[in-house]
């Protein structure tokens, strides 16, 4: 069998270099950084909350936009968009806000001023500073709470509380 026929060789639309046949099946540009930068099109992804176990990610194209607008991917845990029971107010109901498909529905938040946090107060502890220092020192040396308790004349529970409270305060 002779190959007298010329086979078609795909070329990059940007630089004109020859494309690998497998690459030419899907793309019309080569892997050169300049060609990638010029021809690569980004894809917009959207996270769709279908159920409580996981998100579903879709490419945001015209078909997906239409499906989102029709409510195909609405969160099934929520009854509906907006209120289901009419309010007892005398004023007319405001027009519903347009649904933006790319965003997830979030619960409405009341406009509140941030409350100042109370100053952290010192919690009274049933051990002295010197007992705490010694317990932490022994703990850093690798001694078990039972051994530390025996040395300091405290209960194992109290020694454990000393160690845990210092970890919570960031001293260990």
């Amino acid at each position: 069998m002779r190959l007298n026929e010329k086979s078609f060789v795909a070329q990059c639309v940007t630089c004109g270099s020859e494309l690998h046949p497998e690459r030419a099946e899907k793309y019309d540009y080569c892997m050169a950084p300049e060609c990638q930068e010029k021809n690569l099109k980004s894809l917009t992804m959207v996270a769709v909350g279908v159920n409580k176990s996981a998100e579903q990610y879709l490419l945001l194209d015209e078909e997906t936009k239409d499906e989102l607008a029709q409510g195909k991917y609405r969160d099934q845990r929520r009854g509906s968009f907006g209120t289901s029971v009419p309010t007892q107010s005398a004023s007319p109901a405001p027009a519903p806000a347009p649904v933006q498909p790319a965003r997830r529905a979030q619960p409405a938040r009341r406009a509140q001023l941030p409350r100042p946090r109370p100053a952290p107060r010192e919690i009274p502890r049933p051990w002295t500073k010197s007992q705490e220092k010694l317990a932490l020192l022994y703990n850093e040396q690798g001694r078990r709470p039972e051994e530390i308790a025996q040395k300091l004349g405290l209960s194992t529970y109290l020694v454990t509380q000393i160690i845990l409270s210092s970890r919570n305060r960031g001293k260990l």
Side-chain angles (χ1 to χ4, degrees):
M1 183 153 108
R2 292 175 46 189
L3 295 174
N4 287 338
E5 304 172 4
K6 282 190 172 182
S7 63
F8 173 73
V9 177
Q11 293 182 336
C12 174
V13 294
T14 306
C15 67
S17 65
E18 185 176 319
L19 291 178
H20 189 275
E22 287 180 13
R23 175 139 182 99
E25 289 176 12
K26 291 187 177 183
Y27 304 99
D28 60 353
Y29 56 93
C30 67
M31 295 293 295
E34 304 84 34
C35 299
Q36 290 279 320
E37 188 176 322
K38 185 173 181 181
N39 297 300
L40 189 65
K41 296 178 184 114
S42 64
L43 300 174
T44 304
M45 302 288 291
V46 62
V48 180
V50 179
N51 58 36
K52 64 183 178 180
S53 65
E55 303 289 341
Q56 181 178 350
Y57 294 95
L58 301 170
L59 287 176
L60 189 62
D61 56 6
E62 291 303 317
E63 181 181 343
T64 308
K65 285 181 185 178
D66 293 340
E67 289 173 347
L68 285 167
Q70 294 170 2
K72 179 177 180 181
Y73 299 106
R74 72 176 176 83
D75 192 346
Q76 297 168 357
R77 294 170 289 166
R78 304 186 200 292
S80 64
F81 294 102
T83 58
S84 58
V85 179
T87 58
Q88 299 292 333
S89 64
S91 64
V99 177
Q100 295 183 355
R103 291 188 176 191
R104 299 174 85 196
Q106 292 185 0
R109 295 182 183 163
R110 294 182 187 165
Q112 293 179 341
L113 295 175
R115 294 182 191 170
R117 290 187 176 192
R121 55 187 171 133
E122 194 63 33
I123 301 170
R125 293 185 170 83
W127 60 81
T128 64
K129 277 284 190 195
S130 60
Q131 287 173 325
E132 182 177 356
K133 287 180 183 178
L134 285 170
L136 294 176
L137 181 66
Y138 289 143
N139 183 54
E140 287 177 10
Q141 292 175 351
R143 297 193 182 192
R144 296 189 320 266
E146 298 84 27
E147 295 173 307
I148 299 169
Q150 190 176 16
K151 272 197 167 286
L152 297 178
L154 300 172
S155 68
T156 306
Y157 174 80
L158 196 58
V159 170
T160 304
Q161 292 303 307
I162 293 171
I163 294 168
L164 290 176
S165 71
S166 65
R167 281 188 186 161
N168 290 340
R169 288 181 287 153
K171 291 192 176 182
L172 270 183

